[in-house]
Amino acid sequence: MAARVRGRPAVGSTVREGTLAGGLPYLAIGSGPPVVVLAGLDGTGGTTNPAGPARTFELRPYRRLAAHRTVLVVRRSPGIATGCTMAQLASQHAQALAGELALPVDVIGVSTGASIGLQLALDHPGCVRRLVLLAGACRLSDQGRAVQRTQAALVREGRYRRAMAATVPAVFSSAASRLAMRTLVPLTARPLTRQQADDLVRTIEAEDAFDLTGSLDRIGAPTLVIGGTADGYYGPDLFRRTASDLPRGALRLLPGNSHAATVSSARAAREILEFLQAPEPATLG
């Protein structure tokens, strides 16, 4: 990792945090060659580093990888403009990475971050060495779009707890999990600032318009797609299509896994480490 990416240790932990060029917040753990994780949406708009238990939960899937690599979990810069596209978000990331790291780097895109990762690999191929799409694909499913549109509408109305509860059917698959989370999420969701709300809505709008189904054949980076068969935002058909249409794509479907279960899966963590540590050229199957 280039010396310019510094950051400060978080109190009482081995986590470093800071801001990349262009204002993109990041958390970093581990040491060694960098791996950039493009974070998904969260309840604060995806432009603020989480704290406390939310931080621990987010970083847990990358602890295994951090034994070998420096893992940077990167968010979007606050103040996303009205009408911003995935291509513009990818361009911001490309500029930030070029200003801080020796390129190309390995990239892991998580959910919405996977959309940015695909766009980054398409528009800025010199940035991406290998790409992992974790619970992400070339576009949202119809259900995923509907859920996010409902979420955005509730955020615009200031109904933040209802907005987070509206995502439960797409994130969790079992009836028991959905029932529990419909109760828990509204209790734990915090009100957003005006900027956080705007950033969340504008990111959702960018992803609503995102669709690279006709452009995947132009992405040359070796890419591993990891998705659960019970994922409500994308689903197995879109995971299969994304992997098969990529010239150097590979697929790992996790039977029965929901969106949330895939992101936190120990098997997914093992698959990612194996893929990123494979000798050049990447071994795809």
Side-chain angles (χ1 to χ4, degrees):
M1 181 168 59
R4 291 181 61 188
V5 178
R6 297 184 180 89
R8 55 187 175 83
V11 175
S13 76
T14 58
V15 180
R16 287 101 58 201
E17 59 181 320
T19 305
L20 297 181
L24 282 68
Y26 74 86
L27 299 173
I29 55 174
S31 61
V35 177
V36 174
V37 177
L38 304 180
L41 287 177
D42 58 28
T44 61
T47 56
T48 306
N49 281 332
R55 173 176 295 191
T56 301
F57 179 79
E58 176 170 74
L59 294 176
R60 185 179 295 122
Y62 311 114
R63 293 290 180 181
R64 181 190 297 266
L65 183 58
H68 307 270
R69 311 285 292 272
T70 298
V71 180
L72 289 89
V73 181
V74 179
R75 297 186 131 66
R76 274 75 65 192
S77 177
I80 295 172
T82 301
C84 185
T85 65
M86 279 294 171
Q88 290 171 322
L89 290 175
S91 180
Q92 292 171 7
H93 283 73
Q95 292 174 28
L97 297 181
E100 306 282 2
L101 301 174
L103 301 178
V105 294
D106 293 330
V107 175
I108 302 170
V110 183
S111 189
T112 298
S115 302
I116 298 174
L118 270 175
Q119 193 78 58
L120 183 69
L122 175 66
D123 295 343
H124 309 275
C127 289
V128 182
R129 175 176 172 263
R130 299 183 190 181
L131 176 63
V132 177
L133 307 180
L134 181 59
C138 57
R139 66 171 176 84
L140 287 165
S141 67
D142 291 343
Q143 179 188 358
R145 281 198 171 112
V147 167
Q148 289 201 168
R149 287 172 182 172
T150 299
Q151 180 186 10
L154 290 167
V155 170
R156 291 188 193 98
E157 296 170 5
R159 302 164 71 185
Y160 304 128
R161 289 181 171 84
R162 287 286 302 276
M164 290 304 298
T167 69
V168 168
V171 177
F172 301 94
S173 58
S174 73
S177 295
R178 289 177 177 178
L179 179 61
M181 296 309 295
R182 280 197 180 101
T183 302
L184 181 62
V185 166
L187 295 177
T188 58
R190 295 183 297 173
L192 305 182
T193 66
R194 183 68 263 165
Q195 179 175 284
Q196 289 173 331
D198 288 344
D199 287 342
L200 177 56
V201 168
R202 290 165 186 169
T203 304
I204 288 173
E205 290 172 344
E207 189 164 32
D208 187 77
F210 172 78
D211 187 346
L212 291 190
T213 51
S215 303
L216 294 174
D217 61 346
R218 294 162 48 203
I219 296 175
T223 303
L224 176 63
V225 181
I226 304 177
T229 59
D231 188 303
Y233 278 118
Y234 302 97
D237 289 343
L238 278 172
F239 294 136
R240 291 189 186 100
R241 178 172 184 177
T242 302
S244 65
D245 286 357
L246 287 163
R248 305 178 71 187
L251 176 65
R252 301 292 184 269
L253 272 182
L254 307 184
N257 273 35
S258 66
H259 190 75
T262 298
V263 172
S264 60
S265 166
R267 178 185 167 188
R270 291 192 298 269
E271 295 280 5
I272 290 170
L273 179 60
E274 180 180 339
F275 175 72
L276 295 183
Q277 298 291 79
E280 292 282 8
T283 301
L284 303 177

